PDB file of all heavy atoms in Angstrom:
ATOM      1  N   TYR R  33      -5.241  17.427  -2.934  1.00 96.00           N
ATOM      2  CA  TYR R  33      -4.782  18.795  -2.716  1.00 96.00           C
ATOM      3  C   TYR R  33      -3.353  18.975  -3.219  1.00 96.00           C
ATOM      4  O   TYR R  33      -2.550  18.045  -3.184  1.00 96.00           O
ATOM      5  CB  TYR R  33      -4.789  19.131  -1.214  1.00 96.00           C
ATOM      6  CG  TYR R  33      -6.120  18.992  -0.538  1.00 96.00           C
ATOM      7  CD1 TYR R  33      -6.625  17.740  -0.198  1.00 96.00           C
ATOM      8  CD2 TYR R  33      -6.884  20.118  -0.228  1.00 96.00           C
ATOM      9  CE1 TYR R  33      -7.853  17.611   0.419  1.00 96.00           C
ATOM     10  CE2 TYR R  33      -8.107  19.995   0.396  1.00 96.00           C
ATOM     11  CZ  TYR R  33      -8.591  18.739   0.711  1.00 96.00           C
ATOM     12  OH  TYR R  33      -9.810  18.613   1.320  1.00 96.00           O
ATOM     13  N   TYR R  35      -0.212  21.680  -2.268  1.00 97.00           N
ATOM     14  CA  TYR R  35       0.297  22.754  -1.417  1.00 97.00           C
ATOM     15  C   TYR R  35       1.720  23.093  -1.846  1.00 97.00           C
ATOM     16  O   TYR R  35       2.448  22.249  -2.349  1.00 97.00           O
ATOM     17  CB  TYR R  35       0.349  22.325   0.051  1.00 97.00           C
ATOM     18  CG  TYR R  35      -0.993  22.124   0.698  1.00 97.00           C
ATOM     19  CD1 TYR R  35      -1.601  20.871   0.713  1.00 97.00           C
ATOM     20  CD2 TYR R  35      -1.652  23.175   1.329  1.00 97.00           C
ATOM     21  CE1 TYR R  35      -2.833  20.681   1.310  1.00 97.00           C
ATOM     22  CE2 TYR R  35      -2.885  22.994   1.939  1.00 97.00           C
ATOM     23  CZ  TYR R  35      -3.463  21.746   1.923  1.00 97.00           C
ATOM     24  OH  TYR R  35      -4.685  21.567   2.530  1.00 97.00           O
ATOM     25  N   GLN R  37       5.261  24.895  -0.025  1.00 97.00           N
ATOM     26  CA  GLN R  37       5.801  25.276   1.275  1.00 97.00           C
ATOM     27  C   GLN R  37       7.061  26.091   1.068  1.00 97.00           C
ATOM     28  O   GLN R  37       8.032  25.631   0.458  1.00 97.00           O
ATOM     29  CB  GLN R  37       6.114  24.044   2.135  1.00 97.00           C
ATOM     30  CG  GLN R  37       6.552  24.406   3.544  1.00 97.00           C
ATOM     31  CD  GLN R  37       6.632  23.199   4.445  1.00 97.00           C
ATOM     32  OE1 GLN R  37       6.951  22.099   4.025  1.00 97.00           O
ATOM     33  NE2 GLN R  37       6.325  23.418   5.726  1.00 97.00           N
ATOM     34  N   GLY R  40       8.984  30.109   6.366  1.00 86.00           N
ATOM     35  CA  GLY R  40       8.251  31.155   7.076  1.00 86.00           C
ATOM     36  C   GLY R  40       6.824  31.375   6.621  1.00 86.00           C
ATOM     37  O   GLY R  40       6.118  32.205   7.183  1.00 86.00           O
ATOM     38  N   MET R  41       6.399  30.621   5.594  1.00 88.00           N
ATOM     39  CA  MET R  41       5.049  30.839   5.043  1.00 88.00           C
ATOM     40  C   MET R  41       4.108  29.683   5.331  1.00 88.00           C
ATOM     41  O   MET R  41       2.918  29.746   5.033  1.00 88.00           O
ATOM     42  CB  MET R  41       5.123  31.073   3.529  1.00 88.00           C
ATOM     43  CG  MET R  41       5.915  32.293   3.133  1.00 88.00           C
ATOM     44  SD  MET R  41       5.213  33.793   3.840  1.00 88.00           S
ATOM     45  CE  MET R  41       3.652  33.864   2.990  1.00 88.00           C
ATOM     46  N   GLY R  42       4.611  28.625   5.885  1.00 91.00           N
ATOM     47  CA  GLY R  42       3.759  27.464   6.133  1.00 91.00           C
ATOM     48  C   GLY R  42       3.399  26.745   4.843  1.00 91.00           C
ATOM     49  O   GLY R  42       4.085  26.860   3.826  1.00 91.00           O
ATOM     50  N   LEU R  43       2.293  26.034   4.888  1.00 94.00           N
ATOM     51  CA  LEU R  43       1.781  25.312   3.723  1.00 94.00           C
ATOM     52  C   LEU R  43       0.661  26.153   3.120  1.00 94.00           C
ATOM     53  O   LEU R  43      -0.319  26.461   3.792  1.00 94.00           O
ATOM     54  CB  LEU R  43       1.226  23.948   4.137  1.00 94.00           C
ATOM     55  CG  LEU R  43       2.242  22.949   4.644  1.00 94.00           C
ATOM     56  CD1 LEU R  43       1.615  22.014   5.655  1.00 94.00           C
ATOM     57  CD2 LEU R  43       2.816  22.170   3.478  1.00 94.00           C
ATOM     58  N   ARG R  44       0.801  26.500   1.872  1.00 95.00           N
ATOM     59  CA  ARG R  44      -0.237  27.311   1.214  1.00 95.00           C
ATOM     60  C   ARG R  44      -0.917  26.488   0.121  1.00 95.00           C
ATOM     61  O   ARG R  44      -0.265  25.860  -0.705  1.00 95.00           O
ATOM     62  CB  ARG R  44       0.366  28.594   0.642  1.00 95.00           C
ATOM     63  CG  ARG R  44       0.815  29.574   1.718  1.00 95.00           C
ATOM     64  CD  ARG R  44       1.295  30.878   1.123  1.00 95.00           C
ATOM     65  NE  ARG R  44       2.543  30.687   0.376  1.00 95.00           N
ATOM     66  CZ  ARG R  44       3.088  31.636  -0.377  1.00 95.00           C
ATOM     67  NH1 ARG R  44       2.503  32.812  -0.508  1.00 95.00           N
ATOM     68  NH2 ARG R  44       4.221  31.402  -1.015  1.00 95.00           N
ATOM     69  N   LEU R  45      -2.231  26.530   0.150  1.00 94.00           N
ATOM     70  CA  LEU R  45      -3.038  25.721  -0.761  1.00 94.00           C
ATOM     71  C   LEU R  45      -3.049  26.342  -2.157  1.00 94.00           C
ATOM     72  O   LEU R  45      -3.403  27.509  -2.329  1.00 94.00           O
ATOM     73  CB  LEU R  45      -4.466  25.623  -0.215  1.00 94.00           C
ATOM     74  CG  LEU R  45      -5.458  24.783  -0.999  1.00 94.00           C
ATOM     75  CD1 LEU R  45      -5.027  23.326  -1.058  1.00 94.00           C
ATOM     76  CD2 LEU R  45      -6.849  24.897  -0.361  1.00 94.00           C
ATOM     77  N   TYR R  48      -7.287  22.462  -5.149  1.00 95.00           N
ATOM     78  CA  TYR R  48      -7.772  21.219  -4.588  1.00 95.00           C
ATOM     79  C   TYR R  48      -8.894  20.671  -5.442  1.00 95.00           C
ATOM     80  O   TYR R  48      -9.489  21.387  -6.261  1.00 95.00           O
ATOM     81  CB  TYR R  48      -8.196  21.390  -3.121  1.00 95.00           C
ATOM     82  CG  TYR R  48      -9.404  22.273  -2.904  1.00 95.00           C
ATOM     83  CD1 TYR R  48     -10.657  21.736  -2.656  1.00 95.00           C
ATOM     84  CD2 TYR R  48      -9.270  23.665  -2.901  1.00 95.00           C
ATOM     85  CE1 TYR R  48     -11.750  22.554  -2.434  1.00 95.00           C
ATOM     86  CE2 TYR R  48     -10.358  24.486  -2.678  1.00 95.00           C
ATOM     87  CZ  TYR R  48     -11.593  23.925  -2.444  1.00 95.00           C
ATOM     88  OH  TYR R  48     -12.677  24.739  -2.225  1.00 95.00           O
ATOM     89  N   GLU R  59      -5.427  29.294  -2.131  1.00 91.00           N
ATOM     90  CA  GLU R  59      -4.936  30.621  -1.775  1.00 91.00           C
ATOM     91  C   GLU R  59      -4.006  31.225  -2.815  1.00 91.00           C
ATOM     92  O   GLU R  59      -3.969  32.437  -3.015  1.00 91.00           O
ATOM     93  CB  GLU R  59      -4.151  30.553  -0.459  1.00 91.00           C
ATOM     94  CG  GLU R  59      -4.912  29.966   0.725  1.00 91.00           C
ATOM     95  CD  GLU R  59      -3.949  29.583   1.819  1.00 91.00           C
ATOM     96  OE1 GLU R  59      -3.615  30.461   2.631  1.00 91.00           O
ATOM     97  OE2 GLU R  59      -3.523  28.408   1.874  1.00 91.00           O
ATOM     98  N   PHE R  90       3.826  19.771  -2.063  1.00 98.00           N
ATOM     99  CA  PHE R  90       3.252  18.565  -1.467  1.00 98.00           C
ATOM    100  C   PHE R  90       1.880  18.313  -2.049  1.00 98.00           C
ATOM    101  O   PHE R  90       1.040  19.216  -2.141  1.00 98.00           O
ATOM    102  CB  PHE R  90       3.109  18.712   0.056  1.00 98.00           C
ATOM    103  CG  PHE R  90       4.397  18.635   0.808  1.00 98.00           C
ATOM    104  CD1 PHE R  90       5.010  19.791   1.271  1.00 98.00           C
ATOM    105  CD2 PHE R  90       4.981  17.407   1.082  1.00 98.00           C
ATOM    106  CE1 PHE R  90       6.198  19.733   1.980  1.00 98.00           C
ATOM    107  CE2 PHE R  90       6.173  17.333   1.794  1.00 98.00           C
ATOM    108  CZ  PHE R  90       6.776  18.503   2.234  1.00 98.00           C
ATOM    109  N   ARG R  94      -7.399  12.815   1.035  1.00 91.00           N
ATOM    110  CA  ARG R  94      -8.147  12.489   2.241  1.00 91.00           C
ATOM    111  C   ARG R  94      -9.454  11.827   1.893  1.00 91.00           C
ATOM    112  O   ARG R  94     -10.013  12.046   0.830  1.00 91.00           O
ATOM    113  CB  ARG R  94      -8.385  13.729   3.095  1.00 91.00           C
ATOM    114  CG  ARG R  94      -9.274  14.756   2.412  1.00 91.00           C
ATOM    115  CD  ARG R  94      -9.219  16.077   3.132  1.00 91.00           C
ATOM    116  NE  ARG R  94     -10.279  16.233   4.111  1.00 91.00           N
ATOM    117  CZ  ARG R  94     -10.618  17.396   4.661  1.00 91.00           C
ATOM    118  NH1 ARG R  94      -9.966  18.489   4.347  1.00 91.00           N
ATOM    119  NH2 ARG R  94     -11.572  17.463   5.534  1.00 91.00           N
ATOM    120  N   GLY R  98     -15.070  11.643  10.146  1.00 64.00           N
ATOM    121  CA  GLY R  98     -14.264  11.496  11.350  1.00 64.00           C
ATOM    122  C   GLY R  98     -12.777  11.548  11.067  1.00 64.00           C
ATOM    123  O   GLY R  98     -12.306  12.394  10.322  1.00 64.00           O
ATOM    124  N   ASP R  99     -12.029  10.626  11.636  1.00 61.00           N
ATOM    125  CA  ASP R  99     -10.580  10.623  11.460  1.00 61.00           C
ATOM    126  C   ASP R  99     -10.177  10.291  10.043  1.00 61.00           C
ATOM    127  O   ASP R  99      -9.021  10.503   9.659  1.00 61.00           O
ATOM    128  CB  ASP R  99      -9.934   9.639  12.428  1.00 61.00           C
ATOM    129  CG  ASP R  99      -9.706  10.263  13.792  1.00 61.00           C
ATOM    130  OD1 ASP R  99     -10.204  11.383  14.024  1.00 61.00           O
ATOM    131  OD2 ASP R  99      -9.048   9.646  14.629  1.00 61.00           O
ATOM    132  N   GLU R 101     -10.892  11.964   7.712  1.00 79.00           N
ATOM    133  CA  GLU R 101     -10.722  13.244   7.042  1.00 79.00           C
ATOM    134  C   GLU R 101      -9.302  13.790   7.173  1.00 79.00           C
ATOM    135  O   GLU R 101      -9.010  14.861   6.680  1.00 79.00           O
ATOM    136  CB  GLU R 101     -11.730  14.252   7.590  1.00 79.00           C
ATOM    137  CG  GLU R 101     -13.165  13.838   7.343  1.00 79.00           C
ATOM    138  CD  GLU R 101     -14.127  14.998   7.376  1.00 79.00           C
ATOM    139  OE1 GLU R 101     -13.738  16.133   7.083  1.00 79.00           O
ATOM    140  OE2 GLU R 101     -15.304  14.755   7.704  1.00 79.00           O
ATOM    141  N   LYS R 102      -8.427  13.072   7.815  1.00 86.00           N
ATOM    142  CA  LYS R 102      -7.050  13.548   7.923  1.00 86.00           C
ATOM    143  C   LYS R 102      -6.377  13.496   6.562  1.00 86.00           C
ATOM    144  O   LYS R 102      -6.709  12.684   5.711  1.00 86.00           O
ATOM    145  CB  LYS R 102      -6.267  12.702   8.916  1.00 86.00           C
ATOM    146  CG  LYS R 102      -6.048  11.263   8.480  1.00 86.00           C
ATOM    147  CD  LYS R 102      -5.323  10.493   9.573  1.00 86.00           C
ATOM    148  CE  LYS R 102      -5.080   9.053   9.168  1.00 86.00           C
ATOM    149  NZ  LYS R 102      -4.408   8.289  10.259  1.00 86.00           N
ATOM    150  N   LEU R 103      -5.412  14.381   6.394  1.00 91.00           N
ATOM    151  CA  LEU R 103      -4.656  14.438   5.153  1.00 91.00           C
ATOM    152  C   LEU R 103      -3.514  13.420   5.166  1.00 91.00           C
ATOM    153  O   LEU R 103      -2.823  13.284   6.172  1.00 91.00           O
ATOM    154  CB  LEU R 103      -4.052  15.820   4.948  1.00 91.00           C
ATOM    155  CG  LEU R 103      -4.970  16.959   4.537  1.00 91.00           C
ATOM    156  CD1 LEU R 103      -4.189  18.265   4.497  1.00 91.00           C
ATOM    157  CD2 LEU R 103      -5.587  16.692   3.178  1.00 91.00           C
ATOM    158  N   PHE R 105      -0.078  12.924   3.185  1.00 96.00           N
ATOM    159  CA  PHE R 105       0.816  13.690   2.321  1.00 96.00           C
ATOM    160  C   PHE R 105       1.756  12.780   1.541  1.00 96.00           C
ATOM    161  O   PHE R 105       2.188  11.734   2.037  1.00 96.00           O
ATOM    162  CB  PHE R 105       1.678  14.649   3.150  1.00 96.00           C
ATOM    163  CG  PHE R 105       0.951  15.864   3.637  1.00 96.00           C
ATOM    164  CD1 PHE R 105       0.300  15.862   4.846  1.00 96.00           C
ATOM    165  CD2 PHE R 105       0.930  17.018   2.868  1.00 96.00           C
ATOM    166  CE1 PHE R 105      -0.370  16.987   5.308  1.00 96.00           C
ATOM    167  CE2 PHE R 105       0.274  18.152   3.308  1.00 96.00           C
ATOM    168  CZ  PHE R 105      -0.380  18.132   4.537  1.00 96.00           C
ATOM    169  N   GLY R 106       2.088  13.228   0.328  1.00 96.00           N
ATOM    170  CA  GLY R 106       3.191  12.628  -0.402  1.00 96.00           C
ATOM    171  C   GLY R 106       4.510  13.104   0.187  1.00 96.00           C
ATOM    172  O   GLY R 106       4.528  13.939   1.093  1.00 96.00           O
TER     173      GLY R 106
ATOM    174  N   GLN N   2      -5.214  32.316   5.786  1.00 88.00           N
ATOM    175  CA  GLN N   2      -4.492  31.433   6.677  1.00 88.00           C
ATOM    176  C   GLN N   2      -4.905  31.673   8.115  1.00 88.00           C
ATOM    177  O   GLN N   2      -5.033  32.830   8.547  1.00 88.00           O
ATOM    178  CB  GLN N   2      -2.984  31.692   6.567  1.00 88.00           C
ATOM    179  CG  GLN N   2      -2.323  31.121   5.332  1.00 88.00           C
ATOM    180  CD  GLN N   2      -0.822  31.329   5.341  1.00 88.00           C
ATOM    181  OE1 GLN N   2      -0.334  32.452   5.219  1.00 88.00           O
ATOM    182  NE2 GLN N   2      -0.082  30.247   5.477  1.00 88.00           N
ATOM    183  N   TYR N  29     -15.436  24.392  10.389  1.00 85.00           N
ATOM    184  CA  TYR N  29     -16.022  23.059  10.426  1.00 85.00           C
ATOM    185  C   TYR N  29     -15.085  22.094  11.144  1.00 85.00           C
ATOM    186  O   TYR N  29     -15.518  21.214  11.876  1.00 85.00           O
ATOM    187  CB  TYR N  29     -16.287  22.582   8.994  1.00 85.00           C
ATOM    188  CG  TYR N  29     -16.530  21.103   8.861  1.00 85.00           C
ATOM    189  CD1 TYR N  29     -17.730  20.540   9.273  1.00 85.00           C
ATOM    190  CD2 TYR N  29     -15.547  20.267   8.327  1.00 85.00           C
ATOM    191  CE1 TYR N  29     -17.951  19.189   9.158  1.00 85.00           C
ATOM    192  CE2 TYR N  29     -15.766  18.912   8.212  1.00 85.00           C
ATOM    193  CZ  TYR N  29     -16.967  18.379   8.618  1.00 85.00           C
ATOM    194  OH  TYR N  29     -17.187  17.039   8.497  1.00 85.00           O
ATOM    195  N   HIS N  32      -7.358  20.805  12.118  1.00 93.00           N
ATOM    196  CA  HIS N  32      -6.377  19.721  12.047  1.00 93.00           C
ATOM    197  C   HIS N  32      -5.083  20.185  12.694  1.00 93.00           C
ATOM    198  O   HIS N  32      -4.730  21.358  12.616  1.00 93.00           O
ATOM    199  CB  HIS N  32      -6.058  19.376  10.593  1.00 93.00           C
ATOM    200  CG  HIS N  32      -7.183  18.813   9.791  1.00 93.00           C
ATOM    201  ND1 HIS N  32      -7.015  17.747   8.934  1.00 93.00           N
ATOM    202  CD2 HIS N  32      -8.485  19.163   9.693  1.00 93.00           C
ATOM    203  CE1 HIS N  32      -8.160  17.483   8.346  1.00 93.00           C
ATOM    204  NE2 HIS N  32      -9.069  18.328   8.774  1.00 93.00           N
ATOM    205  N   TYR N  34      -0.873  19.022  12.664  1.00 96.00           N
ATOM    206  CA  TYR N  34       0.161  18.197  12.055  1.00 96.00           C
ATOM    207  C   TYR N  34       1.519  18.618  12.613  1.00 96.00           C
ATOM    208  O   TYR N  34       1.707  19.768  13.019  1.00 96.00           O
ATOM    209  CB  TYR N  34       0.174  18.381  10.527  1.00 96.00           C
ATOM    210  CG  TYR N  34      -1.056  17.846   9.846  1.00 96.00           C
ATOM    211  CD1 TYR N  34      -2.225  18.588   9.848  1.00 96.00           C
ATOM    212  CD2 TYR N  34      -1.058  16.608   9.226  1.00 96.00           C
ATOM    213  CE1 TYR N  34      -3.380  18.107   9.252  1.00 96.00           C
ATOM    214  CE2 TYR N  34      -2.211  16.115   8.620  1.00 96.00           C
ATOM    215  CZ  TYR N  34      -3.363  16.871   8.645  1.00 96.00           C
ATOM    216  OH  TYR N  34      -4.504  16.380   8.051  1.00 96.00           O
ATOM    217  N   GLN N  36       5.718  18.471  11.578  1.00 96.00           N
ATOM    218  CA  GLN N  36       6.650  18.233  10.483  1.00 96.00           C
ATOM    219  C   GLN N  36       8.086  18.294  10.989  1.00 96.00           C
ATOM    220  O   GLN N  36       8.486  19.265  11.642  1.00 96.00           O
ATOM    221  CB  GLN N  36       6.443  19.277   9.376  1.00 96.00           C
ATOM    222  CG  GLN N  36       7.278  19.025   8.136  1.00 96.00           C
ATOM    223  CD  GLN N  36       7.035  20.068   7.062  1.00 96.00           C
ATOM    224  OE1 GLN N  36       6.761  21.232   7.352  1.00 96.00           O
ATOM    225  NE2 GLN N  36       7.125  19.671   5.789  1.00 96.00           N
ATOM    226  N   ALA N  41       7.601  15.133   5.175  1.00 95.00           N
ATOM    227  CA  ALA N  41       6.232  15.588   4.986  1.00 95.00           C
ATOM    228  C   ALA N  41       5.549  15.758   6.345  1.00 95.00           C
ATOM    229  O   ALA N  41       5.941  15.123   7.326  1.00 95.00           O
ATOM    230  CB  ALA N  41       5.457  14.582   4.145  1.00 95.00           C
ATOM    231  N   PRO N  42       4.535  16.611   6.436  1.00 95.00           N
ATOM    232  CA  PRO N  42       3.778  16.736   7.686  1.00 95.00           C
ATOM    233  C   PRO N  42       3.103  15.416   8.045  1.00 95.00           C
ATOM    234  O   PRO N  42       2.686  14.653   7.174  1.00 95.00           O
ATOM    235  CB  PRO N  42       2.738  17.809   7.357  1.00 95.00           C
ATOM    236  CG  PRO N  42       3.307  18.568   6.208  1.00 95.00           C
ATOM    237  CD  PRO N  42       4.077  17.564   5.415  1.00 95.00           C
ATOM    238  N   PHE N  44       0.072  13.672  10.514  1.00 92.00           N
ATOM    239  CA  PHE N  44      -1.172  13.941  11.213  1.00 92.00           C
ATOM    240  C   PHE N  44      -1.044  13.682  12.716  1.00 92.00           C
ATOM    241  O   PHE N  44      -0.493  12.660  13.145  1.00 92.00           O
ATOM    242  CB  PHE N  44      -2.254  13.052  10.614  1.00 92.00           C
ATOM    243  CG  PHE N  44      -3.573  13.093  11.329  1.00 92.00           C
ATOM    244  CD1 PHE N  44      -4.443  14.144  11.139  1.00 92.00           C
ATOM    245  CD2 PHE N  44      -3.947  12.066  12.179  1.00 92.00           C
ATOM    246  CE1 PHE N  44      -5.673  14.187  11.773  1.00 92.00           C
ATOM    247  CE2 PHE N  44      -5.170  12.098  12.819  1.00 92.00           C
ATOM    248  CZ  PHE N  44      -6.043  13.154  12.608  1.00 92.00           C
ATOM    249  N   ILE N  47      -7.548  15.537  14.592  1.00 89.00           N
ATOM    250  CA  ILE N  47      -8.550  16.381  13.961  1.00 89.00           C
ATOM    251  C   ILE N  47      -9.669  16.613  14.961  1.00 89.00           C
ATOM    252  O   ILE N  47     -10.060  15.697  15.687  1.00 89.00           O
ATOM    253  CB  ILE N  47      -9.080  15.747  12.656  1.00 89.00           C
ATOM    254  CG1 ILE N  47     -10.154  16.624  12.019  1.00 89.00           C
ATOM    255  CG2 ILE N  47      -9.643  14.351  12.895  1.00 89.00           C
ATOM    256  CD1 ILE N  47     -10.588  16.129  10.650  1.00 89.00           C
ATOM    257  N   LYS N  55      -9.581  16.503  22.402  1.00 69.00           N
ATOM    258  CA  LYS N  55      -9.080  15.167  22.074  1.00 69.00           C
ATOM    259  C   LYS N  55      -7.680  15.024  22.610  1.00 69.00           C
ATOM    260  O   LYS N  55      -7.004  16.009  22.893  1.00 69.00           O
ATOM    261  CB  LYS N  55      -9.042  15.002  20.547  1.00 69.00           C
ATOM    262  CG  LYS N  55     -10.254  14.419  19.919  1.00 69.00           C
ATOM    263  CD  LYS N  55      -9.927  14.020  18.505  1.00 69.00           C
ATOM    264  CE  LYS N  55     -11.067  13.262  17.888  1.00 69.00           C
ATOM    265  NZ  LYS N  55     -10.762  12.831  16.528  1.00 69.00           N
ATOM    266  N   PHE N  87       1.751  22.608  12.703  1.00 97.00           N
ATOM    267  CA  PHE N  87       0.838  23.375  11.864  1.00 97.00           C
ATOM    268  C   PHE N  87      -0.608  23.073  12.256  1.00 97.00           C
ATOM    269  O   PHE N  87      -0.969  21.910  12.454  1.00 97.00           O
ATOM    270  CB  PHE N  87       0.996  23.014  10.392  1.00 97.00           C
ATOM    271  CG  PHE N  87       2.309  23.408   9.790  1.00 97.00           C
ATOM    272  CD1 PHE N  87       3.338  22.493   9.657  1.00 97.00           C
ATOM    273  CD2 PHE N  87       2.509  24.707   9.358  1.00 97.00           C
ATOM    274  CE1 PHE N  87       4.554  22.856   9.093  1.00 97.00           C
ATOM    275  CE2 PHE N  87       3.722  25.080   8.797  1.00 97.00           C
ATOM    276  CZ  PHE N  87       4.745  24.159   8.671  1.00 97.00           C
ATOM    277  N   GLU N  91     -10.708  24.474   8.277  1.00 87.00           N
ATOM    278  CA  GLU N  91     -11.624  24.270   7.156  1.00 87.00           C
ATOM    279  C   GLU N  91     -12.974  24.848   7.547  1.00 87.00           C
ATOM    280  O   GLU N  91     -13.512  24.517   8.606  1.00 87.00           O
ATOM    281  CB  GLU N  91     -11.739  22.782   6.855  1.00 87.00           C
ATOM    282  CG  GLU N  91     -12.522  22.461   5.609  1.00 87.00           C
ATOM    283  CD  GLU N  91     -12.386  20.997   5.260  1.00 87.00           C
ATOM    284  OE1 GLU N  91     -12.311  20.166   6.180  1.00 87.00           O
ATOM    285  OE2 GLU N  91     -12.353  20.683   4.051  1.00 87.00           O
ATOM    286  N   ALA N  94     -16.650  24.113   2.070  1.00 65.00           N
ATOM    287  CA  ALA N  94     -16.099  23.616   0.806  1.00 65.00           C
ATOM    288  C   ALA N  94     -15.059  24.579   0.253  1.00 65.00           C
ATOM    289  O   ALA N  94     -15.139  25.021  -0.887  1.00 65.00           O
ATOM    290  CB  ALA N  94     -17.224  23.424  -0.202  1.00 65.00           C
ATOM    291  N   ASP N  95     -14.086  24.915   1.091  1.00 67.00           N
ATOM    292  CA  ASP N  95     -13.082  25.885   0.648  1.00 67.00           C
ATOM    293  C   ASP N  95     -11.674  25.361   0.839  1.00 67.00           C
ATOM    294  O   ASP N  95     -10.729  26.114   0.891  1.00 67.00           O
ATOM    295  CB  ASP N  95     -13.250  27.216   1.382  1.00 67.00           C
ATOM    296  CG  ASP N  95     -13.139  27.066   2.890  1.00 67.00           C
ATOM    297  OD1 ASP N  95     -13.095  25.910   3.363  1.00 67.00           O
ATOM    298  OD2 ASP N  95     -13.091  28.087   3.587  1.00 67.00           O
ATOM    299  N   GLY N  96     -11.543  24.082   0.957  1.00 80.00           N
ATOM    300  CA  GLY N  96     -10.210  23.527   1.120  1.00 80.00           C
ATOM    301  C   GLY N  96      -9.712  23.658   2.540  1.00 80.00           C
ATOM    302  O   GLY N  96     -10.337  24.277   3.401  1.00 80.00           O
ATOM    303  N   LEU N  97      -8.572  23.074   2.798  1.00 87.00           N
ATOM    304  CA  LEU N  97      -7.971  23.061   4.134  1.00 87.00           C
ATOM    305  C   LEU N  97      -6.758  23.978   4.085  1.00 87.00           C
ATOM    306  O   LEU N  97      -5.793  23.705   3.366  1.00 87.00           O
ATOM    307  CB  LEU N  97      -7.572  21.630   4.483  1.00 87.00           C
ATOM    308  CG  LEU N  97      -6.962  21.365   5.850  1.00 87.00           C
ATOM    309  CD1 LEU N  97      -7.935  21.770   6.938  1.00 87.00           C
ATOM    310  CD2 LEU N  97      -6.639  19.884   5.982  1.00 87.00           C
ATOM    311  N   THR N  98      -6.787  25.069   4.849  1.00 91.00           N
ATOM    312  CA  THR N  98      -5.690  26.030   4.833  1.00 91.00           C
ATOM    313  C   THR N  98      -4.920  25.961   6.140  1.00 91.00           C
ATOM    314  O   THR N  98      -5.509  25.774   7.214  1.00 91.00           O
ATOM    315  CB  THR N  98      -6.203  27.463   4.600  1.00 91.00           C
ATOM    316  OG1 THR N  98      -7.186  27.769   5.593  1.00 91.00           O
ATOM    317  CG2 THR N  98      -6.820  27.591   3.225  1.00 91.00           C
ATOM    318  N   PHE N  99      -3.604  26.145   6.040  1.00 94.00           N
ATOM    319  CA  PHE N  99      -2.718  25.990   7.178  1.00 94.00           C
ATOM    320  C   PHE N  99      -2.157  27.320   7.651  1.00 94.00           C
ATOM    321  O   PHE N  99      -1.988  28.260   6.872  1.00 94.00           O
ATOM    322  CB  PHE N  99      -1.555  25.068   6.809  1.00 94.00           C
ATOM    323  CG  PHE N  99      -1.928  23.617   6.716  1.00 94.00           C
ATOM    324  CD1 PHE N  99      -2.364  23.076   5.516  1.00 94.00           C
ATOM    325  CD2 PHE N  99      -1.858  22.793   7.829  1.00 94.00           C
ATOM    326  CE1 PHE N  99      -2.727  21.743   5.428  1.00 94.00           C
ATOM    327  CE2 PHE N  99      -2.211  21.455   7.750  1.00 94.00           C
ATOM    328  CZ  PHE N  99      -2.647  20.927   6.550  1.00 94.00           C
ATOM    329  N   GLY N 100      -1.828  27.359   8.950  1.00 95.00           N
ATOM    330  CA  GLY N 100      -1.098  28.485   9.500  1.00 95.00           C
ATOM    331  C   GLY N 100       0.368  28.425   9.113  1.00 95.00           C
ATOM    332  O   GLY N 100       0.810  27.477   8.458  1.00 95.00           O
ATOM    333  N   LYS N 101       1.128  29.425   9.557  1.00 95.00           N
ATOM    334  CA  LYS N 101       2.543  29.500   9.170  1.00 95.00           C
ATOM    335  C   LYS N 101       3.426  28.585  10.003  1.00 95.00           C
ATOM    336  O   LYS N 101       4.606  28.421   9.707  1.00 95.00           O
ATOM    337  CB  LYS N 101       3.030  30.943   9.271  1.00 95.00           C
ATOM    338  CG  LYS N 101       2.371  31.852   8.246  1.00 95.00           C
ATOM    339  CD  LYS N 101       2.933  33.269   8.305  1.00 95.00           C
ATOM    340  CE  LYS N 101       2.258  34.126   7.224  1.00 95.00           C
ATOM    341  NZ  LYS N 101       2.772  35.517   7.217  1.00 95.00           N
TER     342      LYS N 101
END
Side-chain angles (χ1 to χ4, degrees):
Chain R
Y33 302 77
Y35 292 92
Q37 186 170 33
M41 298 300 294
L43 293 150
R44 291 185 292 172
L45 182 62
Y48 67 102
E59 304 164 86
F90 286 102
R94 65 193 266 195
D99 276 9
E101 298 202 27
K102 67 183 180 182
L103 286 175
F105 284 90
Chain N
Q2 284 184 291
Y29 164 74
H32 295 223
Y34 293 80
Q36 186 179 32
F44 173 78
I47 179 173
K55 268 194 173 182
F87 293 98
E91 187 170 35
D95 58 351
L97 182 60
T98 55
F99 286 90
K101 293 184 178 181

